[in-house]
Amino acid sequence: MDREERRRLRKQGHEDGPLLPAPGMEEVGRYFNAGNFEAAGEILEEILSVDPKNFEGNFGLGLVRAAEGKAAMAVSFFKTAAAVRPRDAEAHFNLGLALFQTGEPEEAAAAYRRSIEIAPNAATWLNLGILYQDTGDLAAAASYAKAIDINPRQAQAHNNLGNVRAQAGDREGAIRSYETALEIDPGNAAARSQLNAARARTIQGWHLPMLADTARNDAYEKAITQAVKKKKGAHVLDIGTGSGLLAMMAARAGAETVTACEINIPLADIARQVVSENGFADQITVIGKSSEKLVVGKDMARPADIIVSEIVDVGLLREGVLTTLSHAVQTLAAKGAEMIPASAEILAVLVEAPALRRVNPLSEISGFDLSAFDVFRDPGYRKIFLANQEHKLLSRPFPVAAFDFRTFRPGDPNHFDTLELEAEILEDGAAQAVVFWFELRLDEETVISTSPASGKTHWGQAIQFLDTDIPVCKGDRQAVTALLGIQEISFFLPVGKKTN
Ligand SMILES: C[S@@+](CC[C@H](N)C(=O)[O-])C[C@H]1O[C@@H](n2cnc3c(N)ncnc32)[C@H](O)[C@@H]1O
């Protein structure tokens, strides 16, 4: 059909009543699909020159202008189309898309909502979600969820929901969404890279250095192997299995069965995969739960003969080792069960550490007063490698606290014991910090020490700065007070209190 013929038919059609469909629309579709927007636009403009309120003409020209990147023009055509047919969901949807392009999010959201009222649709909910997400509106998650309700196979909605969840700090939810997006669309590169990033953030930074700490791994393997060999048919419980490493050591040593629990669900899922890939799926059951939620007879067939764990931070207590192991001994262990580790001790030393002191607390840096920034500093302890820091050891190491995990029973979780300790001063100086570490007794033979003197472990040492410098002299016996809670320890030096 040539241009003249179209014009003739259109004129006739217009005079005879509304054009449905307008002559030439098939050609418009062909041009549009071939990316020839100019030719498609020309025909549509001809239609509108005869019948400015023609729905197809306005709707089609809206699509053409949007495809050409002329969003403001597209808005005007979609508005006319939506006015001509107020119950046309697609007109409102496309108006929403174009308004979003022109930077009018509120009007765009209204157009999407109108479209949804007329005909709820996964693509519209998805785009409403994108709009909300773009404007930082928390309603984004609910919109993506609606899109998924209508079409559970819409990979982009799962992926975008993953992004909203990741932004809200829901790492596990984000990982589940990305995994679903990838199940639906395995080639979805965005979901793949976001899943990798979310998984990397799931594990704390210390997991990899910990796994690279071969002295730690070897010490555990030695103790685990000996314990398993001593107990024929042993059932082992690995609390906080992480990658599954200690559970697999137990299985390799010949444990009959191993229950490996891990509170971090994405970690537990991967541990299950690791266990299976190493051929231990028949021996090891990985459970994504806190040990404190395990039930004997349900999660584990029988109480454990050996309880293995490595849930200690640089200061020993913050990962909750005392409560966790006390609970495990009382509810998950067979009578006389072995504990690896069996006990631990915290030791400490007074140090002068002038370089670190400059930022503990924060005061003047490069001539500026940064003391207000000190609110962001954790006044408790943190990890250092003492050997890498400028420091002077001022005292002999002194014992702080010892715990036998087989018998320790926590009391009031809010209670802090006050421990009156004493440090024998070996050097004159200013006591600025307490450096402390632990000795973890795995069994009668094997001890892991994180002391500065016993070589590098991934744990390093804990350092806690004192509020003020305390001058000490060689030969003094300096009083030190420790406040010991179930998951925390802190130190201070009573000013002027020498015990000699
Ligand atoms: C320091 S990592 C050790 C991982 C692994 N056992 C190893 O030695 O390579 C401790 C792990 O225990 C988990 N965890 C801590 N307390 C737990 C508990 N009560 N129940 C289950 N998992 C726990 C943490 O999420 C973390 O992944």
Side-chain angles (χ1 to χ4, degrees):
M1 190 189 305
D2 67 12
R3 182 182 282 220
E4 267 322 298
E5 173 75 348
R6 278 200 309 266
R7 210 185 280 278
R8 193 186 57 73
L9 281 172
R10 205 168 293 125
K11 191 142 196 326
Q12 181 192 332
H14 182 56
E15 278 154 10
D16 294 348
L19 283 169
L20 272 181
M25 284 313 281
E26 265 180 34
E27 268 174 290
V28 169
R30 269 198 304 280
Y31 283 133
F32 188 87
N33 292 335
N36 189 347
F37 303 129
E38 199 184 329
E42 228 173 70
I43 301 174
L44 291 161
E45 273 169 0
E46 282 170 23
I47 294 174
L48 293 186
S49 68
V50 178
D51 177 10
K53 296 273 182 231
N54 181 283
F55 176 80
E56 279 89 356
N58 279 289
F59 185 79
L61 210 46
L63 291 179
V64 166
R65 296 297 174 243
E68 289 171 333
K70 295 171 181 163
M73 292 173 90
V75 165
S76 142
F77 290 115
F78 287 132
K79 273 188 176 162
T80 309
V84 172
R85 286 202 197 152
R87 301 276 319 151
D88 191 289
E90 274 200 55
H92 292 285
F93 168 67
N94 282 285
L95 175 60
L97 282 179
L99 283 164
F100 186 46
Q101 292 288 312
T102 55
E104 294 160 276
E106 280 169 23
E107 291 84 342
Y112 287 144
R113 281 195 294 264
R114 178 85 188 106
S115 172
I116 287 167
E117 270 166 35
I118 300 163
N121 175 291
T124 318
W125 278 115
L126 173 69
N127 279 280
L128 186 57
I130 292 170
L131 183 150
Y132 283 145
Q133 194 177 350
D134 192 70
T135 53
D137 191 324
L138 295 176
S143 298
Y144 292 136
K146 290 273 190 196
I148 290 166
D149 275 351
I150 296 173
N151 177 8
R153 306 285 303 160
Q154 201 178 17
Q156 197 191 343
H158 289 284
N159 176 67
N160 292 9
L161 181 57
N163 291 340
V164 174
R165 287 174 161 172
Q167 275 163 9
D170 174 9
R171 277 188 309 237
E172 288 181 15
I175 287 173
R176 279 198 307 279
S177 295
Y178 296 137
E179 283 174 343
T180 313
L182 282 169
E183 264 166 46
I184 298 165
D185 175 13
N188 190 322
R192 169 83 49 210
S193 98
Q194 283 155 173
L195 174 63
N196 292 343
R199 279 192 177 141
R201 281 193 294 269
T202 290
I203 66 162
Q204 303 207 22
W206 43 253
H207 265 276
L208 297 183
M210 173 191 74
L211 289 170
D213 186 343
T214 45
R216 176 200 87 112
N217 302 344
D218 293 348
Y220 263 95
E221 178 139 41
K222 183 168 168 238
I224 290 169
T225 304
Q226 284 187 1
V228 168
K229 298 242 176 286
K230 265 198 269 164
K231 289 210 175 182
K232 259 205 136 359
H235 174 49
V236 177
L237 171 62
D238 176 16
I239 297 180
T241 200
S243 63
L245 181 68
L246 306 186
M248 291 192 294
M249 287 176 177
R252 181 159 68 184
E256 190 172 292
T257 46
V258 182
T259 301
C261 68
E262 173 52 59
I263 197 168
N264 182 324
I265 308 294
L267 222 56
D269 291 342
I270 298 299
R272 207 169 288 116
Q273 183 183 339
V274 171
V275 161
S276 162
E277 284 171 2
N278 282 276
F280 291 113
D282 291 343
Q283 252 168 302
I284 302 175
T285 307
V286 178
I287 301 177
K289 265 189 189 177
S290 160
S291 59
E292 296 186 35
K293 297 263 162 66
L294 292 182
V295 177
V296 175
K298 189 169 157 232
D299 299 305
M300 45 200 279
R302 60 190 167 101
D305 305 303
I306 302 169
I307 295 183
V308 176
S309 68
E310 197 276 70
I311 43 175
V312 292
D313 76 312
V314 59
L316 190 75
L317 305 177
R318 273 187 186 165
E319 285 193 45
V321 65
L322 294 179
T323 3
T324 299
L325 294 188
S326 166
H327 168 269
V329 172
Q330 293 177 84
T331 58
L332 307 172
K335 208 165 181 304
E338 289 285 329
M339 305 278 291
I340 302 172
S343 62
E345 187 176 12
I346 297 176
L347 297 110
V349 69
L350 298 182
V351 298
E352 190 174 283
L356 285 177
R357 182 53 142 178
R358 259 172 248 137
V359 286
N360 290 279
L362 253 171
S363 53
E364 178 269 316
I365 301 286
S366 301
F368 300 106
D369 177 2
L370 297 196
S371 49
F373 209 71
D374 197 52
V375 291
F376 297 118
R377 185 178 62 92
D378 182 347
Y381 67 80
R382 67 184 178 81
K383 167 186 176 143
I384 53 157
F385 290 99
L386 189 60
N388 298 345
Q389 300 295 339
E390 180 193 348
H391 73 280
K392 183 156 118 186
L393 292 178
L394 298 176
S395 78
R396 205 182 285 288
F398 53 95
V400 176
F403 309 94
D404 185 330
F405 298 130
R406 293 159 296 197
T407 55
F408 180 87
R409 298 290 173 266
D412 175 358
N414 304 309
H415 177 75
F416 277 76
D417 283 331
T418 304
L419 311 177
E420 300 296 354
L421 311 168
E422 192 180 82
E424 183 187 339
I425 302 301
L426 301 177
E427 295 264 5
D428 293 355
Q432 295 175 323
V434 178
V435 167
F436 59 106
W437 61 90
F438 59 78
E439 312 235 304
L440 198 62
R441 182 165 289 282
L442 300 188
D443 61 13
E444 289 306 310
E445 284 173 28
T446 311
V447 177
I448 295 176
S449 170
T450 59
S451 107
S454 57
K456 204 165 170 179
T457 68
H458 79 284
W459 280 286
Q461 292 80 38
I463 188 163
Q464 184 223 301
F465 277 83
L466 302 168
D467 288 345
T468 51
D469 289 10
I470 308 283
V472 292
C473 299
K474 185 175 174 183
D476 282 355
R477 302 190 78 81
Q478 172 66 47
V480 178
T481 303
L483 283 181
L484 177 67
I486 200 72
Q487 254 180 280
E488 193 56 59
I489 187 159
S490 59
F491 297 88
F492 61 95
L493 266 53
V495 181
K497 193 166 170 196
K498 310 278 182 250
T499 53
N500 60 341

